[in-house]
Amino acid sequence: MSAEANLTTALSEIDRARDIVEFSTVVVARDKQLRKADQLVFLQKAAVEFQSRFLPSFEDGIRAERSWGYATTCNAVSRKAGGQPGRDACEKIASRVSQIDHALMAKIGIRALSIFAASFGRHSRSSECHYGAIRIARLCREESRSLQELNNLSLAALINGFSKWPEEADFRQAAVAIAGEVIRRANRHHQLSDFTQQGLVSLVNGFSKWPEEVTSRQAAAALALEIVRRPGRLRAFAQQGLAILVNGFSKWPDERPYGQVTVAIAGEVLGRAARFREFSEQDLANLVNGFSKWPDDAVSRQATVAIASELLRRATQLPHYTQQGLANLVNGFCKWPEDAVCRKATVAIAGEVLRRAAQLRDLTQQGLANLVNGFSKWPEELAVRRAAVALAREVLRRATQLDDFSQQGLANLVNGFSNWPEELPCAQVTVMLAGEVLRRTERGTGLSDFSAQDLRGIVIGFNRWPRESAARQATIAVINEVLGRGIRLFDFTKPDSENLLDGFSKWPQDAARHEAIAEIIRQLKLTQTGAAQLRTEEK
């Protein structure tokens, strides 16, 4: 049968379907069989039919125990191929779900609700899908025992649907309930041996959206141990699955199980070097970004260098990378600044960033900060310098949005741009960032939410601009915080101390007499003296 005849037959089948069960059976089956172009036509026609013929009787269908047909149809048409008709259908059914009573929600069943959650998550900007997902999340939280009915793929559908709104309490609490169910199963005799590769990958991806939750971390650790203990554990995973695992586990770089499985994945990636063409651009970016969380591991380094070589071979494809993908690559490569291949790959990316100078407004705040921080590891490269200047102009354009940068992001910008003191846009950005630091000192918490590492980077960065009054004022504010915590927390290296002392020597005389500056100079000299004495004693 020709492709055209297949489409005609499929369309006639949905026209003849007498109820939602028969309709959904045809939609699911034909969705898998039709070629891509015909699939678009079929799913969009199915979405229109679904809305007009079956959605009006949604509640009656639930009472008749036909919720599975509604869920599977919604799942099919809500995908990208369903287009606007599919989105409309998904929003309308989400609106109905958000309004039905508790008894009817229970009648839908947790399996069908997991499919609805995954569907609604595809349209996270829709208020209808948002409220429909909240209704499901609350049920999961309040009746967590119902989660025991789900297999690993259904649990994964729930967590990935909810993960589209990670900042909201309802979804976070539902994620904790799902994590608790995974932990419960990990304690069984056969542990998580019945979890599929797809289930493991999707669950790790979901839990990684709440890395600060203890239960999420524990559930992810159980999943990591399951992957490590399986014989031939990684050969069966697809390339995208490996990239998602690395990206997920990288949210907990200090935990042993995640390091073990990431190193194992790095070894598997190295083994597939001859098949790198099968990895998508997003997969390569996620792998590099993830491996960079373990920079001291030799296998992670080797895998990253191999990916850098692949990127250079694909240099003509750099325009196909997303802005975030480019930022992830640079953020990863910069962890090995001494490697020539990582440097060459970063220079190539810098050229692409410069080419996109007019589109840099699409970068997230974190992506922007990561690019600046990464490029700063190779400040002498001309392409990198030019890209950094373009990024500085973009930060200047966002002058009213500086409060949106995280503490780490702000520190990365300050420290990064300080590597090009002769570039005017970098100097202008530094003055603006100094003003933001001073504004943050006026909050009730002051600078207490900055980590020691971030404060250290800000002090070093601003001190490279000794003639800028705003930079000096911000440096004094940061040093007051540093001294309040204790200088030993900051572990300034000998080169750091020398650079800081050199910078302070260039301050105007009246500013250099400030008591905070005088005190930190004294502390830095004591640190240097102590280090010199220790070296003498060792000899």
Side-chain angles (χ1 to χ4, degrees):
M1 185 180 293
S2 68
E4 184 178 351
N6 270 336
L7 176 60
T8 302
T9 301
L11 292 173
S12 66
E13 285 175 349
I14 58 173
D15 285 339
R16 294 196 306 269
R18 292 166 296 180
D19 56 39
I20 186 60
V21 174
E22 187 176 339
F23 183 84
S24 67
T25 301
V26 174
V27 170
V28 172
R30 290 298 187 178
D31 178 32
K32 296 176 181 176
Q33 296 169 359
L34 293 170
R35 64 180 186 177
K36 190 170 184 179
D38 293 337
Q39 184 189 50
L40 299 177
V41 175
F42 173 75
L43 286 179
Q44 292 181 29
K45 175 66 161 54
V48 172
E49 291 287 310
F50 182 49
Q51 288 186 70
S52 62
R53 293 172 56 195
F54 301 109
L55 267 182
S57 56
F58 176 58
E59 288 80 1
D60 291 336
I62 295 172
R63 295 185 185 96
E65 299 185 345
R66 294 177 174 176
S67 57
W68 187 253
Y70 284 96
T72 52
T73 302
C74 182
N75 184 50
V77 302
S78 65
R79 291 193 174 98
K80 186 176 180 180
Q84 190 60 45
R87 179 187 174 119
D88 292 343
C90 185
E91 288 179 340
K92 288 179 180 178
I93 204 164
S95 179
R96 303 285 277 271
V97 167
S98 69
Q99 298 174 47
I100 60 179
D101 60 34
H102 188 81
L104 209 52
M105 279 290 285
K107 193 78 173 174
I108 292 177
I110 192 67
R111 289 179 65 225
L113 288 173
S114 71
I115 295 177
F116 280 133
S119 303
F120 300 162
R122 296 190 184 109
H123 303 289
S124 58
R125 295 183 179 179
S126 161
S127 59
E128 292 90 348
C129 291
H130 178 208
Y131 289 121
I134 286 177
R135 187 76 179 84
I136 298 170
R138 288 175 178 169
L139 183 76
C140 292
R141 182 193 66 201
E142 295 163 5
E143 301 185 17
S144 59
R145 291 191 66 176
S146 65
L147 297 173
Q148 295 180 24
E149 302 172 25
L150 299 178
N151 64 22
N152 66 97
L153 293 175
S154 294
L155 289 173
L158 275 176
I159 193 74
N160 277 295
F162 298 156
S163 71
K164 303 306 188 295
W165 300 277
E167 69 286 349
E168 294 197 27
D170 286 310
F171 298 115
R172 184 181 71 251
Q173 292 163 5
V176 168
I178 297 167
E181 175 59 20
V182 170
I183 293 169
R184 186 190 70 81
R185 297 187 191 192
N187 292 324
R188 301 174 301 181
H189 175 68
H190 60 282
Q191 298 174 312
L192 303 179
S193 59
D194 56 334
F195 279 40
T196 63
Q197 279 89 3
Q198 182 183 346
L200 292 168
V201 168
S202 295
L203 285 165
V204 169
N205 183 58
F207 292 137
S208 71
K209 302 303 189 295
W210 293 276
E212 72 288 348
E213 286 290 342
V214 174
T215 316
S216 289
R217 187 178 73 243
Q218 291 171 342
L223 296 166
L225 290 172
E226 174 60 30
I227 293 169
V228 170
R229 76 165 59 93
R230 289 188 178 187
R233 53 190 175 270
L234 295 173
R235 287 196 294 275
F237 284 89
Q239 281 82 348
Q240 184 181 37
L242 293 177
I244 291 172
L245 287 174
V246 169
N247 190 54
F249 290 137
S250 71
K251 303 302 190 298
W252 302 281
D254 299 325
E255 300 281 341
R256 180 181 173 84
Y258 312 121
Q260 287 178 318
V261 75
T262 301
V263 170
I265 293 172
E268 177 65 21
V269 168
L270 273 174
R272 300 188 191 188
R275 298 160 49 198
F276 269 171
R277 64 183 179 279
E278 299 172 14
F279 284 83
S280 71
E281 286 78 11
Q282 183 177 355
D283 292 342
L284 293 177
N286 283 340
L287 286 169
V288 168
N289 191 55
F291 292 150
S292 71
K293 302 302 190 297
W294 288 273
D296 296 329
D297 178 72
V299 183
S300 294
R301 178 182 182 278
Q302 291 165 7
T304 301
V305 172
I307 293 172
S309 296
E310 175 64 17
L311 184 139
L312 289 170
R313 284 192 290 273
R314 294 189 193 184
T316 58
Q317 297 179 30
L318 279 175
H320 300 303
Y321 280 79
T322 64
Q323 306 275 46
Q324 189 59 47
L326 294 176
N328 284 346
L329 287 167
V330 171
N331 189 54
F333 292 146
C334 77
K335 301 303 191 299
W336 295 278
E338 74 289 348
D339 186 88
V341 182
C342 289
R343 185 186 71 248
K344 290 178 183 176
T346 302
V347 169
I349 295 170
E352 177 60 23
V353 168
L354 187 59
R355 191 188 67 80
R356 298 188 195 187
Q359 289 86 47
L360 292 178
R361 64 184 59 221
D362 298 332
L363 267 170
T364 64
Q365 315 287 48
Q366 182 181 2
L368 188 56
N370 284 347
L371 280 173
V372 173
N373 180 60
F375 287 151
S376 72
K377 303 302 189 293
W378 295 280
E380 71 285 351
E381 292 286 350
L382 181 59
V384 167
R385 175 192 297 268
R386 289 174 174 172
V389 170
L391 293 168
R393 292 193 175 105
E394 175 58 24
V395 176
L396 288 169
R397 193 189 65 78
R398 301 188 192 192
T400 60
Q401 303 170 36
L402 291 182
D403 193 51
D404 296 334
F405 282 93
S406 67
Q407 290 81 4
Q408 183 181 22
L410 199 66
N412 284 343
L413 291 176
V414 171
N415 199 34
F417 286 130
S418 71
N419 285 276
W420 299 281
E422 67 284 355
E423 295 290 349
L424 180 60
C426 295
Q428 293 171 326
V429 164
T430 297
V431 171
M432 192 171 72
L433 294 172
E436 176 62 20
V437 169
L438 288 169
R439 277 191 294 275
R440 295 193 186 194
T441 63
E442 298 170 359
R443 301 175 304 184
T445 57
L447 301 178
S448 62
D449 50 356
F450 282 77
S451 70
Q453 182 178 353
D454 293 339
L455 290 175
R456 177 178 172 277
I458 289 175
V459 168
I460 292 170
F462 280 147
N463 202 37
R464 291 173 181 160
W465 309 87
R467 300 301 176 188
E468 290 289 351
S469 174
R472 293 197 303 271
Q473 292 174 37
T475 301
I476 290 170
V478 174
I479 285 175
N480 281 327
E481 179 70 24
V482 170
L483 293 173
R485 297 189 194 183
I487 188 70
R488 293 186 182 279
L489 290 173
F490 294 82
D491 191 26
F492 289 111
T493 65
K494 184 172 182 286
D496 286 343
S497 299
E498 290 173 349
N499 289 333
L500 285 170
L501 290 170
D502 181 61
F504 289 135
S505 71
K506 296 173 183 174
W507 280 39
Q509 191 173 19
D510 57 334
R513 289 174 179 166
H514 191 282
E515 59 184 279
I517 300 302
E519 175 60 18
I520 201 167
I521 288 173
R522 189 179 73 81
Q523 293 279 4
L524 289 170
K525 288 180 176 177
L526 284 173
T527 300
Q528 285 191 327
T529 302
Q533 288 176 346
L534 181 61
R535 287 193 298 272
T536 301
E537 291 171 4
E538 288 175 348
K539 291 179 181 179

